[in-house]
Amino acid sequence: MRMGSLKGDFARLVHELDGYARFDEALSSTGTKSALDPAALWLRNCKSDHDSCRYEGQDQPTLPTRVIDVGESSSVHSPRLLETNGMRGEYLTLSYCWGKAGNFTTSSENYKSLLEKIPEENLPRTIREAIAVTKALGQRYLWIDAICIIQDSTEDKLREITIMDQIYQKSTLTIAAAKGDSAQAGLFAQRDLRRRWPAPMSEAFKEGMPADDGDFIFRTAKKSRYGLHELDTRGWILQESTLSRRLLIFGPERLEWCCLADWVSEEHPETWNQSAHYNQSSGIDNIHNFRRWLGIQKLREDDRRLREVYYDWTLAVGNYSSRFLSVERDKLPAIGGAARAMSQICPMTYVAGLWREDFHNGLTWFVESRAGYDFGRGTRTADSIAPSWSWASRHAPVNFYHQSIIYGPLILLVEVQDVRIEPALGYHDAFGEVKDAKMRLLGCMKEVHVVRRSPAEDEPSRNIPSHQRFAFAISVDDLESAQEIGYIAYDEEPLEGRTVVSCVPIIVLRSPSPKALLCLGLVRDEARTSGYRRVGLIVILDLEYFGDTSGDQFTNSRKIIAVF
């Protein structure tokens, strides 16, 4: 425990509330007026002071197709569903976990009745409390996916999903329900303020200690882990958090505020250093690094910051790929809104989770091997949701060979001749679900023989990252005299024994040491008459295996390779 003198706003607050008992009562829940008043202040300050947090400079954007009209803050009438018909105004959005059961949804059957009245007694706790927060912040309109989209209408769902990026970007504020895993969990948290706030000492306890007026005792709470919430494990939530210019986060113990210009909380009501409070292994800081690009003017093709954009995208994808999606086919649609928003800021072309202008680096993803992770999940299903060369084809956490992105200039060994995407039925652009995709490469191809080995047999001198020790690439058929030339990080559970994989070099890594070739590992696509599918990322440590990659012999040996 630590002694200190309480000053400033909190000292005045305790005095005004006439003692700690009333102070405790006023802030015992994140849903009390005293707890929500700072949130209203944060919103007012952001709207008046942060130019970067305004959507294209607009204070009155066009409302979504439908919103919930919660009424005036002082009114008692029931909320209702409102068809906006091009109306302009401010509105809030809700980001939350539906859960397995118990959510309230709009259907074709109840649609007309909801235009008259939404029965609050039938709403789950999270939605009821979101309506209360909207009123407390002096706002009238609220957008919630379950109610503002007709859930049994495929046409309506597809139409609204394709404008999801605009809905969250134009929102004045997104309410983030971060303390539970279902719509029944609610926003507001009860908390023991002795764990979080200063409390006055009793005279008996002060014996033998300085007894100056205004002394308070602090109880040290367990280390804060800002940014780590249940929401951060859900796939759809990533783009909702990324696209929102302002987030009011209702966590299990506190209120937090995050906008494009600031991050504050109840405990840190002034601007504070975010990086000091992140749990670095969580990747949450990567998401907020990515968010900052949404507050800038459109970049030009020669802008050096584009390399940073590509890098932050790969970090966001790594975070996203480890999140849960209840419908696996949502893998691309659930991040498509974020991609569409990025394409409007940067001169980039999106193709099935990768960027055409950074395709070489985008191909260097690999499936991570993590403690407690079932590697078999990475297996690509027959009913594919993405081309094999896209990270989205795997239901598994992925990472990227970031040396190829950070260090440059790069030596590229393959030309991407063409990339074709066929959107799935109902989607009309590249940001949704993909029915089929094909890329044509002009590159060199050689076969390597792969033998699976246990980690205990790996030579430390190879400097192979532990998460990539799945197998080694072997250069010749005679295994007795075979030379190990590198390793392969498989995209799926590899077969036992020796297999043959076609190796296509993509990039020469010149730094850091050791130098290496990054290559695609391909096999024939049995489902097609011609072409290949990807099975892994190969790192060739023996640079002589492909000869002089800058010479005519290498160039003349290249051929067209179709990969699906």
Side-chain angles (χ1 to χ4, degrees):
M1 291 183 287
R2 180 180 174 185
M3 296 294 300
S5 178
L6 187 63
K7 298 179 180 179
D9 291 340
F10 288 117
R12 287 192 294 273
L13 179 59
V14 173
H15 176 73
E16 291 169 2
L17 293 175
D18 191 28
Y20 183 73
R22 290 179 61 191
F23 174 76
D24 181 64
E25 180 183 351
L27 291 171
S28 60
S29 165
T30 53
T32 64
K33 181 180 183 302
S34 297
L36 291 175
D37 280 348
L41 178 61
W42 295 331
L43 177 58
R44 288 197 299 270
N45 289 345
C46 179
K47 290 171 68 175
S48 63
D49 299 342
H50 299 163
D51 291 338
S52 63
C53 295
R54 296 191 182 96
Y55 178 74
E56 297 181 351
Q58 298 179 21
D59 291 326
Q60 298 284 317
T62 304
L63 293 173
T65 307
R66 306 174 193 91
V67 293
I68 299 171
D69 181 357
V70 304
E72 301 289 348
S73 57
S74 58
S75 69
V76 293
H77 77 74
S78 297
R80 67 187 181 94
L81 188 60
L82 175 67
E83 295 177 338
T84 60
N85 297 317
M87 290 170 51
R88 288 184 174 272
E90 294 188 359
Y91 65 96
L92 307 189
T93 43
L94 176 64
S95 180
Y96 68 116
C97 298
W98 279 37
K100 294 182 178 180
N103 203 3
F104 181 91
T105 60
T106 294
S107 65
S108 302
E109 183 178 354
N110 67 3
Y111 181 73
K112 288 186 178 181
S113 66
L114 297 183
L115 294 174
E116 299 295 328
K117 176 184 176 180
I118 297 175
E120 289 190 81
E121 65 275 11
N122 294 340
L123 296 177
R125 181 182 166 192
T126 298
I127 294 180
R128 290 199 311 270
E129 293 178 354
I131 290 174
V133 170
T134 302
K135 284 189 171 185
L137 296 178
Q139 301 292 315
R140 180 158 184 170
Y141 301 124
L142 173 64
W143 187 90
I144 300 176
D145 55 1
I147 297 177
C148 297
I149 300 175
I150 303 173
Q151 295 299 321
D152 61 351
S153 169
T154 301
E155 180 183 358
D156 196 65
K157 289 174 70 173
L158 287 174
R159 182 176 60 249
E160 296 301 306
I161 285 175
T162 58
I163 60 172
M164 196 74 74
D165 58 316
Q166 300 176 42
I167 291 174
Y168 280 93
Q169 279 188 290
K170 293 179 181 180
S171 169
T172 297
L173 169 73
T174 292
I175 301 167
K179 81 175 188 67
D181 60 358
S182 77
Q184 299 290 352
L187 295 176
F188 306 146
Q190 300 294 319
R191 63 258 184 102
D192 180 356
L193 294 186
R194 292 171 297 181
R195 294 174 51 82
R196 314 236 53 92
W197 303 107
M201 293 175 60
S202 67
E203 291 298 324
F205 195 78
K206 283 185 177 180
E207 282 189 25
M209 297 183 182
D212 297 336
D213 290 341
D215 282 344
F216 286 79
I217 185 169
F218 293 80
R219 177 177 176 180
T220 303
K222 58 185 178 182
K223 185 178 179 183
S224 297
R225 301 180 71 196
Y226 284 83
L228 289 176
H229 300 295
E230 181 66 32
L231 286 180
D232 299 316
T233 67
R234 305 304 173 112
W236 277 99
I237 303 299
L238 180 137
Q239 73 172 5
E240 295 172 8
S241 300
T242 299
L243 295 172
S244 299
R245 293 168 293 131
R246 305 180 184 98
L247 288 166
L248 180 59
I249 305 168
F250 286 81
E253 294 183 338
R254 67 177 72 83
L255 276 179
E256 299 173 42
W257 168 276
C258 178
C259 64
L260 295 180
D262 212 351
W263 187 306
V264 296
S265 72
E266 291 178 284
E267 295 161 319
H268 300 270
E270 303 284 333
T271 300
W272 53 289
N273 182 8
Q274 302 174 32
S275 61
H277 296 268
Y278 284 128
N279 179 300
Q280 295 297 328
S281 65
S282 73
I284 302 303
D285 50 336
N286 300 336
I287 301 305
H288 295 291
N289 281 342
F290 183 69
R291 289 181 75 234
R292 64 194 170 104
W293 298 112
L294 300 178
I296 65 171
Q297 298 295 321
K298 187 167 185 176
L299 300 179
R300 300 191 317 176
E301 292 183 3
D302 59 350
D303 197 308
R304 294 184 177 181
R305 289 176 294 175
L306 281 176
R307 182 164 292 277
E308 296 179 56
V309 176
Y310 296 138
Y311 177 69
D312 285 342
W313 171 260
T314 62
L315 295 179
V317 164
N319 180 297
Y320 171 72
S321 65
S322 63
R323 296 180 177 224
F324 173 75
L325 283 169
S326 56
V327 180
E328 291 182 343
R329 299 197 68 84
D330 287 344
K331 194 68 173 282
L332 285 172
I335 200 174
R340 184 184 287 104
M342 291 307 301
S343 69
Q344 294 168 357
I345 296 169
C346 305
M348 308 186 301
T349 306
Y350 185 72
V351 281
L354 283 66
W355 297 101
R356 182 67 176 81
E357 293 75 12
D358 192 50
F359 217 70
H360 293 81
N361 289 321
L363 292 172
T364 66
W365 59 270
F366 56 89
V367 173
E368 280 200 307
S369 176
R370 298 182 181 178
Y373 171 70
D374 178 10
F375 188 74
R377 279 185 62 217
T379 303
R380 189 177 182 223
T381 61
D383 187 16
S384 176
I385 60 173
S388 68
W389 41 263
S390 170
W391 55 266
S393 65
R394 308 293 160 178
H395 308 310
V398 302
N399 206 334
F400 289 77
Y401 214 99
H402 287 129
Q403 289 92 328
S404 69
I405 303 174
I406 299 172
Y407 299 97
L410 302 174
I411 300 176
L412 306 180
L413 302 178
V414 67
E415 293 181 19
V416 182
Q417 298 281 297
D418 185 32
V419 182
R420 296 182 181 180
I421 300 292
E422 182 182 351
L425 183 65
Y427 292 91
H428 304 292
D429 56 30
F431 299 102
E433 190 178 325
V434 171
K435 179 181 179 181
D436 197 15
K438 173 184 177 181
M439 73 171 178
R440 295 172 67 251
L441 305 176
L442 178 61
C444 183
M445 176 184 287
K446 293 183 72 173
E447 287 187 345
V448 293
H449 296 258
V450 177
V451 172
R452 187 174 185 179
R453 311 181 83 184
S454 65
E457 297 177 272
D458 296 345
E459 294 88 346
S461 61
R462 285 298 187 185
N463 194 28
I464 300 172
S466 59
H467 57 254
Q468 294 178 341
R469 289 178 181 170
F470 300 151
F472 280 91
I474 308 299
S475 61
V476 294
D477 284 319
D478 182 6
L479 298 184
E480 295 296 326
S481 59
Q483 176 189 4
E484 294 179 355
I485 60 171
Y487 58 95
I488 178 171
Y490 272 111
D491 298 340
E492 56 193 50
E493 184 68 36
L495 299 174
E496 295 294 336
R498 185 180 59 177
T499 57
V500 178
V501 177
S502 296
C503 180
V504 179
I506 309 170
I507 297 171
V508 178
L509 288 182
R510 296 189 297 183
S511 179
S513 182
K515 296 180 180 179
L517 302 179
L518 290 185
C519 313
L520 287 180
L522 306 176
V523 298
R524 286 285 182 181
D525 190 340
E526 304 87 351
R528 303 176 189 269
T529 55
S530 63
Y532 295 81
R533 63 180 178 90
R534 172 180 154 145
V535 293
L537 181 70
I538 294 176
V539 180
I540 299 293
L541 299 174
D542 182 357
L543 299 187
E544 299 302 319
Y545 182 66
F546 278 93
D548 182 5
T549 55
S550 62
D552 291 339
Q553 184 175 355
F554 180 86
T555 302
N556 294 335
S557 66
R558 295 191 302 176
K559 62 180 182 179
I560 296 294
I561 305 165
V563 187
F564 295 91

